[in-house]
Amino acid sequence: MTLHKIIIPTPFAVGDVNSYLIQGDMLTLIDAGPKTPEAWLALKAGLKEFGAEPKDVDQVVLTHHHPDHSGWVDGFENAKLYGHPYNDPWLRRDQDFFDYHDAFYLERLKEEGVPGDLHFWVKKMKRPLNLMGNRPLDMFINEGDTLPGHTEWQVLETLGHAQSHLSFWNAQTREMIGGDHVIATVSSNPLIEPPLDPALGRPKSLLQYNASLRRLLKMPIDVIYSGHGEEVRNVNELITSRLTKQHQRAMKTLGIIGKGQCTVYELTKELFAHAYEKELGLTLSETIGQIDYLLEDGSIIEQLSKDGIFYYSKV
């Protein structure tokens, strides 16, 4: 088995994204960069360095659906496309999806107490979609499966950063291809995303993410090949530190809530005073994560007002 890293530029603040080629019974590409001309050139250059061309790729496998990972899924004409079922509605993007997408986020903004003149953020949240591919999955893969053509790589569901997030674990070599689950220099944002089944309600992304991190603490991992930046080798130390810092962020939020009853939007303005206006979606997601953490911890209570806004106060 040969693993080959391809570094791809992105237009996003996170910087370059990593794709990986695995040579086994099939030539497999893990993730496909954003759909920009620069990314396509980088992908082709990385393949050429490996001695291959796009037509030689047998399958593309997604760690998750975000545009910096799923852009060029339709650039490999001979390849099958595999990923978590949650990728599919984002890759198809039909009108039903857009209607559901907009209704979900508008409802979140209202219950978070975001003023009506900022509800245009529902449309802004769709800005990166033009950098995603537009091709449905050929096959779903999920927890307990192995990668087709690479039976040594087990599929793990590592939800939190995305509702589609998968990681790939090789127990023989103690290696993991981790997408954005664990990144060396930054903690991934657990993003608020619509559930596949509306009846299930809003996923609690931060709680999912923390559970997915704790799962790794029980595994003998020597290295994680990340979606961004360098490999992670001090896995347990890094994850333990991230979980500790997460608790500290939640306690900071609890301190603010202790001053009086408040909404998610009011908390977001205080927690992210210098960022919330430019990145309202991301900062609201982060704040909701802290709320979910504190509710689970039993430190706060939630009350729904007559106008449909949730208010939070300290127990």
Side-chain angles (χ1 to χ4, degrees), residues 118-154:
L118 293 178
H119 288 179
F120 67 86
W121 268 91
V122 168
K123 292 184 178 180
K124 291 188 73 172
M125 289 173 185
K126 292 187 288 192
R127 285 176 301 173
L129 295 184
N130 64 325
L131 298 181
M132 295 174 67
N134 192 202
R135 169 189 172 181
L137 296 176
D138 291 298
M139 189 176 83
F140 299 158
I141 54 173
N142 217 321
E143 177 75 30
D145 293 332
T146 57
L147 288 183
H150 310 278
T151 56
E152 70 276 21
W153 287 95
Q154 181 183 349

Side-chain angles (χ1 to χ4, degrees), residues 237-268:
E237 178 184 344
L238 181 63
I239 289 176
T240 300
S241 172
R242 293 269 165 86
L243 290 170
T244 298
K245 289 179 180 177
Q246 167 51 50
H247 179 73
Q248 292 169 348
R249 286 193 292 270
M251 291 305 102
K252 178 182 177 181
T253 305
L254 180 61
I256 297 171
I257 294 173
K259 298 174 186 178
Q261 196 177 58
C262 54
T263 67
V264 167
Y265 179 64
E266 289 166 342
L267 274 171
T268 300

